Every structure is written in structure tokens, then in C-alpha cells.
Coordinates of all heavy atoms in Angstrom, one line a residue:
I1 N -28.8 8.4 -14.9 CA -30.1 7.7 -14.9 C -31.2 8.8 -14.8 O -31.1 9.6 -13.9 CB -30.2 6.6 -13.9 CG1 -29.1 5.6 -14.2 CG2 -31.6 6.0 -13.8 CD1 -29.1 4.4 -13.2
D2 N -32.2 8.7 -15.6 CA -33.3 9.7 -15.5 C -34.3 9.2 -14.5 O -34.2 8.2 -13.8 CB -34.0 9.9 -16.9 CG -34.7 8.7 -17.4 OD1 -34.9 7.8 -16.7 OD2 -35.2 8.8 -18.6
R3 N -35.4 9.9 -14.3 CA -36.4 9.6 -13.2 C -37.1 8.3 -13.5 O -37.6 7.7 -12.5 CB -37.4 10.8 -13.1 CG -36.7 12.0 -12.6 CD -37.7 13.2 -12.6 NE -36.9 14.4 -12.4 CZ -37.3 15.4 -11.7 NH1 -38.5 15.4 -11.1 NH2 -36.5 16.5 -11.6
A4 N -37.2 7.9 -14.7 CA -37.8 6.6 -15.0 C -36.9 5.4 -14.8 O -37.3 4.3 -15.1 CB -38.4 6.6 -16.4
G5 N -35.6 5.7 -14.5 CA -34.6 4.6 -14.3 C -33.9 4.2 -15.5 O -33.2 3.2 -15.5
R6 N -34.0 5.0 -16.6 CA -33.4 4.7 -17.9 C -32.0 5.4 -17.9 O -31.8 6.5 -17.4 CB -34.2 5.1 -19.1 CG -35.5 4.4 -19.2 CD -36.3 5.0 -20.3 NE -36.5 6.4 -19.9 CZ -37.6 7.1 -20.3 NH1 -38.5 6.6 -21.0 NH2 -37.7 8.4 -19.9
S7 N -31.1 4.8 -18.6 CA -29.7 5.4 -18.7 C -29.8 6.6 -19.7 O -30.6 6.5 -20.7 CB -28.8 4.4 -19.3 OG -27.5 5.0 -19.6
V8 N -29.1 7.6 -19.4 CA -29.1 8.7 -20.4 C -27.9 8.7 -21.3 O -27.6 9.6 -22.1 CB -29.0 10.1 -19.6 CG1 -30.4 10.3 -18.8 CG2 -27.9 10.2 -18.6
G9 N -27.1 7.6 -21.3 CA -26.0 7.4 -22.3 C -24.7 8.1 -22.0 O -23.9 8.2 -22.8
L10 N -24.5 8.6 -20.8 CA -23.3 9.3 -20.4 C -22.1 8.3 -20.5 O -21.0 8.7 -21.0 CB -23.4 9.9 -19.0 CG -22.3 10.8 -18.6 CD1 -22.1 11.9 -19.6 CD2 -22.5 11.3 -17.2
G11 N -22.2 7.1 -20.1 CA -21.1 6.1 -20.2 C -20.6 5.9 -21.6 O -19.4 6.0 -21.9
L12 N -21.5 5.8 -22.5 CA -21.1 5.6 -23.9 C -20.5 6.9 -24.5 O -19.5 6.8 -25.2 CB -22.3 5.2 -24.8 CG -22.0 4.9 -26.2 CD1 -21.0 3.8 -26.4 CD2 -23.3 4.5 -27.0
Y13 N -21.0 8.0 -24.1 CA -20.4 9.3 -24.5 C -18.9 9.4 -24.0 O -18.0 9.8 -24.8 CB -21.2 10.5 -24.0 CG -20.5 11.8 -24.2 CD1 -20.6 12.4 -25.4 CD2 -19.8 12.4 -23.2 CE1 -20.0 13.6 -25.6 CE2 -19.2 13.6 -23.4 CZ -19.2 14.2 -24.6 OH -18.6 15.4 -24.8
I14 N -18.7 9.0 -22.8 CA -17.3 9.0 -22.2 C -16.4 8.1 -22.9 O -15.3 8.4 -23.3 CB -17.4 8.7 -20.7 CG1 -18.1 9.9 -20.0 CG2 -16.0 8.5 -20.1 CD1 -18.4 9.6 -18.5
V15 N -16.9 6.9 -23.2 CA -16.1 5.9 -23.9 C -15.7 6.4 -25.3 O -14.6 6.3 -25.7 CB -16.8 4.5 -24.0 CG1 -16.1 3.6 -25.0 CG2 -16.9 3.9 -22.6
R16 N -16.7 6.9 -26.0 CA -16.5 7.5 -27.3 C -15.4 8.6 -27.3 O -14.5 8.6 -28.1 CB -17.8 8.0 -28.0 CG -17.6 8.4 -29.4 CD -18.8 9.0 -30.0 NE -18.8 10.4 -29.5 CZ -19.8 11.3 -29.8 NH1 -20.8 10.9 -30.4 NH2 -19.7 12.5 -29.3
S17 N -15.5 9.4 -26.3 CA -14.6 10.6 -26.2 C -13.1 10.0 -26.0 O -12.2 10.5 -26.6 CB -15.0 11.5 -25.1 OG -16.2 12.1 -25.3
I18 N -13.0 9.0 -25.1 CA -11.7 8.5 -24.9 C -11.1 7.8 -26.1 O -10.0 8.0 -26.5 CB -11.7 7.5 -23.7 CG1 -12.0 8.3 -22.4 CG2 -10.4 6.7 -23.5 CD1 -12.3 7.4 -21.2
V19 N -12.0 7.0 -26.8 CA -11.5 6.2 -28.0 C -11.1 7.2 -29.0 O -10.0 7.1 -29.6 CB -12.7 5.3 -28.5 CG1 -12.3 4.8 -29.8 CG2 -12.9 4.2 -27.5
E20 N -11.9 8.3 -29.3 CA -11.6 9.2 -30.3 C -10.3 10.0 -30.0 O -9.5 10.4 -30.9 CB -12.8 10.1 -30.6 CG -13.9 9.4 -31.3 CD -15.1 10.3 -31.6 OE1 -15.1 11.4 -31.1 OE2 -16.0 9.8 -32.3
A21 N -10.1 10.3 -28.7 CA -8.9 11.0 -28.3 C -7.7 10.2 -28.5 O -6.6 10.8 -28.7 CB -9.0 11.4 -26.8
H22 N -7.8 8.9 -28.6 CA -6.6 8.1 -28.9 C -6.6 7.6 -30.4 O -5.9 6.7 -30.7 CB -6.7 6.8 -28.0 CG -6.3 7.1 -26.6 ND1 -7.2 7.6 -25.7 CD2 -5.1 7.1 -25.9 CE1 -6.6 7.8 -24.5 NE2 -5.4 7.5 -24.6
G23 N -7.3 8.3 -31.2 CA -7.3 8.0 -32.6 C -8.0 6.8 -33.1 O -7.8 6.3 -34.1
G24 N -8.9 6.3 -32.2 CA -9.7 5.1 -32.5 C -11.1 5.3 -33.0 O -11.5 6.5 -33.2
R25 N -11.8 4.3 -33.1 CA -13.2 4.3 -33.6 C -14.0 3.4 -32.7 O -13.5 2.4 -32.2 CB -13.4 3.8 -35.0 CG -12.7 4.7 -36.0 CD -13.0 4.2 -37.4 NE -12.8 2.7 -37.6 CZ -13.4 2.0 -38.5 NH1 -14.0 2.6 -39.5 NH2 -13.2 0.7 -38.6
I26 N -15.3 3.7 -32.5 CA -16.2 2.9 -31.8 C -17.4 2.7 -32.8 O -17.9 3.6 -33.4 CB -16.6 3.4 -30.4 CG1 -17.5 2.4 -29.7 CG2 -17.3 4.8 -30.6 CD1 -17.7 2.7 -28.3
M27 N -17.8 1.4 -32.9 CA -18.9 1.1 -33.8 C -20.0 0.3 -33.0 O -19.6 -0.4 -32.0 CB -18.4 0.3 -35.0 CG -17.4 1.1 -35.9 SD -16.3 0.0 -36.8 CE -15.2 -0.5 -35.6
V28 N -21.2 0.4 -33.5 CA -22.3 -0.4 -32.8 C -23.1 -1.1 -33.9 O -23.3 -0.6 -35.0 CB -23.2 0.6 -31.9 CG1 -23.8 1.6 -32.8 CG2 -24.2 -0.3 -31.2
Q29 N -23.5 -2.3 -33.5 CA -24.4 -3.1 -34.4 C -25.5 -3.7 -33.5 O -25.2 -4.2 -32.4 CB -23.7 -4.2 -35.1 CG -24.5 -5.0 -36.1 CD -23.7 -6.0 -36.8 OE1 -22.5 -6.2 -36.6 NE2 -24.3 -6.6 -37.8
S30 N -26.7 -3.5 -33.9 CA -27.8 -3.9 -33.0 C -29.0 -4.5 -33.8 O -29.4 -3.9 -34.8 CB -28.3 -2.7 -32.2 OG -29.3 -3.1 -31.2
T31 N -29.4 -5.7 -33.3 CA -30.6 -6.3 -33.9 C -31.4 -6.9 -32.7 O -30.9 -7.2 -31.7 CB -30.3 -7.4 -34.9 OG1 -29.6 -8.5 -34.2 CG2 -29.4 -7.0 -36.0
A32 N -32.7 -7.0 -33.0 CA -33.6 -7.5 -31.9 C -33.2 -9.0 -31.6 O -33.3 -9.4 -30.5 CB -35.0 -7.4 -32.4
E33 N -32.8 -9.7 -32.6 CA -32.5 -11.1 -32.5 C -31.2 -11.4 -31.8 O -31.1 -12.3 -31.0 CB -32.5 -11.8 -33.9 CG -33.8 -11.8 -34.6 CD -34.0 -10.5 -35.3 OE1 -33.1 -9.8 -35.6 OE2 -35.2 -10.2 -35.5
E34 N -30.2 -10.6 -32.1 CA -28.8 -10.9 -31.6 C -28.3 -9.9 -30.5 O -27.3 -10.1 -30.0 CB -27.8 -10.9 -32.8 CG -28.1 -12.0 -33.7 CD -27.1 -12.1 -34.8 OE1 -26.0 -11.5 -34.7 OE2 -27.4 -12.7 -35.9
G35 N -29.1 -8.9 -30.3 CA -28.7 -7.9 -29.2 C -27.8 -6.8 -29.8 O -27.8 -6.6 -31.0
T36 N -27.0 -6.2 -29.0 CA -26.2 -5.1 -29.4 C -24.7 -5.4 -29.1 O -24.3 -5.9 -28.1 CB -26.5 -3.8 -28.6 OG1 -27.9 -3.6 -28.8 CG2 -25.7 -2.6 -29.0
T37 N -23.9 -5.1 -30.1 CA -22.4 -5.3 -30.0 C -21.7 -4.0 -30.3 O -22.0 -3.3 -31.3 CB -21.9 -6.3 -31.1 OG1 -22.6 -7.6 -30.9 CG2 -20.4 -6.6 -31.0
F38 N -20.8 -3.6 -29.4 CA -20.0 -2.5 -29.5 C -18.6 -2.9 -29.9 O -18.1 -3.8 -29.2 CB -19.9 -1.6 -28.2 CG -21.2 -1.0 -27.9 CD1 -22.2 -1.6 -27.1 CD2 -21.5 0.3 -28.4 CE1 -23.4 -1.0 -26.8 CE2 -22.7 0.9 -28.1 CZ -23.7 0.3 -27.3
T39 N -18.0 -2.4 -30.9 CA -16.6 -2.7 -31.3 C -15.7 -1.5 -31.1 O -16.1 -0.4 -31.7 CB -16.6 -3.2 -32.7 OG1 -17.4 -4.4 -32.8 CG2 -15.2 -3.6 -33.1
V40 N -14.6 -1.6 -30.4 CA -13.7 -0.5 -30.3 C -12.4 -0.9 -31.0 O -11.9 -1.9 -30.8 CB -13.4 -0.2 -28.8 CG1 -12.3 0.8 -28.6 CG2 -14.6 0.2 -28.0
R41 N -11.9 0.1 -31.9 CA -10.7 -0.2 -32.6 C -9.7 1.0 -32.2 O -10.0 2.1 -32.3 CB -10.9 -0.2 -34.1 CG -11.8 -1.4 -34.5 CD -11.7 -1.5 -36.0 NE -12.6 -2.7 -36.3 CZ -12.1 -3.8 -36.9 NH1 -10.9 -3.8 -37.3 NH2 -12.9 -4.8 -37.2
L42 N -8.5 0.6 -31.8 CA -7.5 1.5 -31.4 C -6.2 1.2 -32.2 O -6.0 0.1 -32.5 CB -7.2 1.4 -29.9 CG -8.3 1.7 -28.9 CD1 -7.9 1.3 -27.5 CD2 -8.7 3.2 -29.0
V43 N -5.5 2.3 -32.4 CA -4.2 2.2 -33.1 C -3.2 1.6 -32.2 O -3.1 2.0 -31.1 CB -3.7 3.6 -33.6 CG1 -2.4 3.5 -34.3 CG2 -4.8 4.2 -34.6
R44 N -2.5 0.6 -32.7 CA -1.4 0.0 -31.9 C -0.1 0.5 -32.4 O 0.3 0.2 -33.6 CB -1.5 -1.5 -31.9 CG -0.5 -2.2 -30.9 CD -0.7 -3.6 -30.8 NE 0.1 -4.3 -31.9 CZ 0.1 -5.6 -32.1 NH1 -0.6 -6.4 -31.3 NH2 0.8 -6.1 -33.1
L45 N 0.7 1.1 -31.6 CA 2.0 1.7 -32.0 C 3.1 0.6 -31.7 O 2.9 -0.2 -30.7 CB 2.3 3.0 -31.3 CG 1.3 4.1 -31.5 CD1 1.6 5.3 -30.7 CD2 1.3 4.5 -33.0
P46 N 4.2 0.6 -32.4 CA 5.2 -0.3 -32.1 C 5.8 0.0 -30.7 O 5.9 1.1 -30.3 CB 6.3 0.0 -33.2 CG 5.6 0.9 -34.2 CD 4.4 1.5 -33.6
G47 N 6.2 -1.1 -30.1 CA 6.8 -1.0 -28.7 C 8.2 -0.5 -28.8 O 8.8 -0.3 -29.9
P48 N 8.9 -0.3 -27.6 CA 10.2 0.2 -27.6 C 11.2 -0.8 -28.3 O 11.0 -2.0 -28.1 CB 10.6 0.3 -26.1 CG 9.2 0.2 -25.4 CD 8.3 -0.4 -26.3
G49 N 12.1 -0.3 -29.1 CA 13.1 -1.2 -29.7 C 12.6 -1.8 -31.0 O 13.3 -2.5 -31.7
V50 N 11.4 -1.6 -31.4 CA 10.8 -2.1 -32.7 C 11.1 -1.2 -33.8 O 10.8 0.0 -33.7 CB 9.3 -2.4 -32.5 CG1 8.8 -2.9 -33.9 CG2 9.0 -3.4 -31.4
R51 N 11.7 -1.7 -34.8 CA 12.0 -0.8 -36.0 C 11.1 -1.1 -37.1 O 10.6 -2.2 -37.3 CB 13.5 -1.1 -36.5 CG 14.5 -0.7 -35.5 CD 15.8 -1.0 -36.1 NE 16.8 -0.5 -35.1 CZ 18.0 -0.1 -35.4 NH1 18.4 0.0 -36.7 NH2 18.9 0.3 -34.5
D52 N 10.9 -0.1 -37.9 CA 10.0 -0.2 -39.1 C 10.7 -1.0 -40.2 O 11.8 -1.0 -40.4 CB 9.6 1.2 -39.7 CG 8.6 1.9 -38.8 OD1 8.3 1.3 -37.7 OD2 8.3 3.0 -39.1

């Protein structure tokens, strides 16, 4: 948080770094009417014992 009390975006940077490290994507959509939506997509690998 800066001196004016605004966020400096460190949390979003950390989330993006973790998501990308796991091969995923993070997307953002923002409008004045509907607000802001963040979407995180991660790759889901088959569990133990699952065959292709």
C-alpha cells in the first residue's frame, strides 16, 4: 500500500507468478457497470490410476 492508501498491485503480481509457474493463465475483464472479474485457468492433470 502506498502513502495514499492505494494498493500497489503486489498481490496480483504474486497470483500471476504462481498461475504462470503452473502453466496456467490469468485474465481480467473490467467495466464500470459490472466491476472487475479475474479468471484463473489451470491445467488439470489426470489423477493416479487414470489412463489415457
Side-chain angles (χ1 to χ4, degrees):
I1 297 180
D2 69 9
R3 292 177 194 216
R6 297 174 299 211
S7 171
V8 293
L10 187 57
L12 184 55
Y13 172 81
I14 293 169
V15 169
R16 187 186 80 184
S17 297
I18 293 169
V19 168
E20 289 179 353
H22 286 85
R25 296 185 314 162
I26 185 166
M27 297 157 283
V28 62
Q29 183 174 10
S30 184
T31 65
E33 298 80 24
E34 296 184 20
T36 303
T37 301
F38 292 92
T39 303
V40 174
R41 295 191 179 241
L42 298 171
V43 177
R44 187 172 87 178
L45 300 176
V50 177
R51 295 182 177 209
D52 290 358

